[in-house]
Amino acid sequence: GKGVLTEKELIEALEYPKIRAYLQTLELDVFESKALFHILDDGDGTVTLKEFIDGLLRCKGQARAIDQVATQTEIKHVHKQ
């Protein structure tokens, strides 16, 4: 395809047990795929490979790291408005 993921494509991909298991081996708990998409997306409605990798690396680690990144993303969106 175009080398980008839409929200629908990411949600569908994260339904595959093998993909979830792989991400869990990277210490990434991605049970909220819709929230994950909005964390990864820069606001254009798609996620590029760079956004995907950079976003996952920011979320890696502590179980609550994804919550911290989500909060930072929300703050960024509020400031854009």
Side-chain angles (χ1 to χ4, degrees):
K2 302 174 193 173
V4 297
L5 285 173
T6 64
E7 182 176 358
K8 180 182 178 207
E9 291 170 332
L10 181 62
I11 290 170
E12 288 173 359
L14 292 175
E15 289 177 3
Y16 287 92
K18 285 185 178 183
I19 293 175
R20 282 187 174 276
Y22 176 72
L23 292 175
Q24 286 177 344
T25 65
L26 299 175
E27 299 177 13
L28 293 165
D29 289 323
V30 288
F31 294 104
E32 270 301 318
S33 50
K34 196 172 191 106
L36 177 64
F37 179 84
H38 292 288
I39 289 169
L40 302 176
D41 181 24
D42 66 2
D44 65 358
T46 60
V47 174
T48 65
L49 179 60
K50 180 174 179 9
E51 289 171 343
F52 186 78
I53 292 170
D54 290 349
L56 290 184
L57 289 175
R58 287 188 325 209
C59 295
K60 191 175 182 312
Q62 304 172 10
R64 291 301 198 190
I66 195 165
D67 294 329
Q68 294 170 358
V69 173
T71 302
Q72 292 170 354
T73 302
E74 286 298 316
I75 291 169
K76 256 197 300 190
H77 287 304
V78 168
H79 285 295
K80 283 183 180 180
Q81 294 176 353

